[in-house]
Amino acid sequence: MSTLDTFFKLKEHGSNVRTELIAGLTTFLTMAYIIFVNPTILADAGMPKDAVFVATCLAAAVGTLIMGLYANYPIGMAPGMGLNAYFAYAVVLGMGVPWQTALGAVFISGCLFILVSLFKVREQIVNGIPHSLRSAITVGLGLFLALIALKSAGIVVANPATLVSVGDLHKPAAVMAITGFLLIVALDRLRVPGAILIGIIAVTVLSFFIGGNTFHGFVSLPPSIDATLFAFDPKAAFSVGILNVVLVFFLVELFDATGTLMGVAARGGLLVDGKMVRLNKALMADSCAIVAGSLLGTSSTTAYIESAAGVQAGGRTGLTAVVVALLFLASLFIAPIAGVVPAYATAPALLFVACLMLRDLTEVDWSDTTESVPAAITALAIPFTYSIAHGIAFGFMTYAGLKLLTGRARQVRPVVWVIAAVFLFKYAYLKG
């Protein structure tokens, strides 16, 4: 016990081993849904579902271990929601990029993130991006996830006359997805740990009775990861056609990681004078997790806001994160359960996460149209173009253009001009 106390500085943080163990279990339960959702999403991109399941568990475990042992923060890591959807539906299916090349883009973005963390220029970049655009990207991701969730559940379907319309709500998939969503929201409101996971499991169990699903057992040895391990292709990712993909991965990872880390730290009273003392270490852990995930075979790994649940339960040190990591490793042996989870069972989880992401709309200054309009364009363009890249591009170009036209160019930080110019050049001179 004394060794753990010394290494993680438990007493210094007002915690103990028992509290950290409970906090780790709590965090794991709130974010364990990713081991079911991520393989389902990436399988749509043609990736082997079993191999992605293993990659998801390992990437989450590696990233969380680094966060716990190196940065000593009670924060869980796993493949990020939104980024996995962008990877599968926008990059692979939308742009026709092979998933191996897309993994290469994730690898490059992770390496860029490491450089940014090493040279401590993260703060300059993040501070240079307008708060309104940062909030809008999160909202746009939420709307994008919502569209994917509703489509997976069969609630929204394609229509040649109106683009989209309501599906057949009498079908078992739609009925079970709606039921699962209401269950998740109710349980979350009642502060039941693992509300999202319980919702996924409940719909999966229901699918055996009315969805024609078949049971294949509880436990088995982990499936092979050979199909995705080191399958990334960074050389192809350097091609001009998907440089904007790398930029989008990098920007979203940067904002998401920084915002999540600061938010969880604030919830746990871990800020000193409004700052995270070991922020650079935490960002390095995040960066290494992205690179590790790309090597293993999954989309970008990032810090999870669900870690706030463990912090609420008393987690204050990296021991909480180590517990989360060990539980992700244990999850490798429940592949049969993960394999039978249908898309309409994970759809309610996606929709719920999407709803939570929309609250960032309140962070936009709606009284200033040079701030609110670019934010609105960003948030709307992401789902309507089915592309996070286009949404971010339109937002940055609109922001820079409006500030210039209204004589407020001096308010724009250099990084915004650079990003806007890159996207403008891309649309003007490059295809794809």
Side-chain angles (χ1 to χ4, degrees):
M1 295 296 180
S2 58
T3 303
L4 290 176
D5 195 354
T6 303
F7 186 84
F8 293 106
K9 301 178 181 178
L10 298 178
K11 287 183 180 178
E12 183 180 320
H13 289 89
S15 187
N16 55 61
V17 174
R18 181 179 178 277
T19 301
E20 297 288 311
L21 292 176
I22 293 173
L25 177 61
T26 303
T27 293
F28 175 76
L29 288 174
T30 60
M31 61 184 290
Y33 65 88
I34 193 63
I35 65 178
F36 304 114
V37 178
N38 199 51
T40 301
I41 290 176
L42 298 190
D44 287 345
M47 297 185 69
K49 191 173 182 179
D50 285 347
V52 174
F53 165 77
V54 177
T56 300
C57 293
L58 290 178
V62 170
T64 308
L65 269 179
I66 297 172
M67 181 64 74
L69 297 176
Y70 177 61
N72 197 24
Y73 278 120
I75 296 171
M77 311 276 292
M81 295 293 289
L83 282 167
N84 51 9
Y86 174 63
F87 179 102
Y89 302 112
V91 179
V92 178
L93 296 178
M95 297 172 61
V97 174
W99 60 263
Q100 294 90 343
T101 303
L103 284 178
V106 173
F107 174 79
I108 295 168
S109 68
C111 292
L112 288 174
F113 205 177
I114 289 176
L115 290 175
V116 164
S117 302
L118 278 175
F119 292 102
K120 299 182 179 181
V121 296
R122 171 211 57 85
E123 193 169 344
Q124 298 175 36
I125 295 175
V126 172
N127 290 341
I129 306 297
H131 185 69
S132 58
L133 288 184
R134 275 185 272 165
S135 301
I137 291 169
T138 301
V139 174
L141 276 168
L143 292 172
F144 188 48
L145 279 180
L147 182 59
I148 292 167
L150 293 170
K151 179 179 177 292
S152 297
I155 296 172
V156 170
V157 296
N159 186 304
T162 60
L163 294 182
V164 293
S165 63
V166 68
D168 185 354
L169 300 183
H170 296 92
K171 287 186 176 180
V175 173
M176 285 189 280
I178 293 169
T179 302
F181 176 72
L182 294 176
L183 176 62
I184 289 172
V185 177
L187 291 175
D188 180 75
R189 179 60 185 169
L190 295 172
R191 298 189 177 183
V192 176
I196 294 177
L197 182 61
I198 292 171
I200 292 174
I201 293 173
V203 175
T204 302
V205 170
L206 199 58
S207 71
F208 294 127
F209 298 98
I210 61 176
N213 205 351
T214 53
F215 184 63
H216 301 294
F218 284 105
V219 179
S220 74
L221 290 174
S224 172
I225 194 178
D226 289 349
T228 60
L229 184 64
F230 301 127
F232 72 118
D233 188 355
K235 185 177 180 181
F238 272 113
S239 64
V240 177
I242 66 165
L243 282 178
N244 63 312
V245 173
V246 175
L247 181 62
V248 169
F249 276 134
F250 172 73
L251 289 176
V252 177
E253 287 158 3
L254 190 66
F255 302 149
D256 189 50
T258 306
T260 299
L261 290 169
M262 293 295 290
V264 174
R267 182 78 65 90
L270 301 173
L271 298 181
V272 178
D273 297 327
K275 297 180 179 179
M276 287 180 72
V277 178
R278 300 179 301 282
L279 176 59
N280 232 55
K281 282 191 173 184
L283 285 169
M284 278 299 294
D286 200 277
S287 310
C288 293
I290 294 169
V291 173
S294 67
L295 299 179
L296 291 165
T298 183
S299 53
S300 300
T301 302
T302 189
Y304 260 57
I305 194 65
E306 284 84 352
S307 303
V311 169
Q312 193 72 30
R316 293 293 181 272
T317 74
L319 182 56
T320 294
V322 171
V323 173
V324 174
L326 293 176
L327 289 171
F328 269 115
L329 288 176
S331 299
L332 286 168
F333 298 92
I334 61 166
I337 299 177
V340 298
V341 176
Y344 55 79
T346 56
L350 287 177
L351 186 58
F352 178 62
V353 172
C355 291
L356 296 181
M357 294 173 81
L358 298 187
R359 60 187 168 197
D360 275 29
L361 278 171
T362 59
E363 302 294 322
V364 177
D365 181 6
W366 293 99
S367 64
D368 183 351
T369 52
T370 64
E371 296 285 337
S372 60
V373 169
I377 291 294
T378 302
L380 292 171
I382 288 174
F384 289 155
T385 63
Y386 216 67
S387 168
I388 299 171
H390 289 315
I392 292 177
F394 295 165
F396 273 92
M397 290 188 296
T398 303
Y399 187 91
L402 287 177
K403 291 293 186 182
L404 183 64
L405 291 172
T406 55
R408 302 167 70 180
R410 290 185 178 180
Q411 295 180 4
V412 182
R413 300 286 181 88
V415 66
V416 176
W417 292 116
V418 171
I419 295 173
V422 168
F423 281 124
L424 186 62
F425 176 80
K426 188 253 180 192
Y427 285 116
Y429 297 104
L430 304 178
K431 293 182 179 180

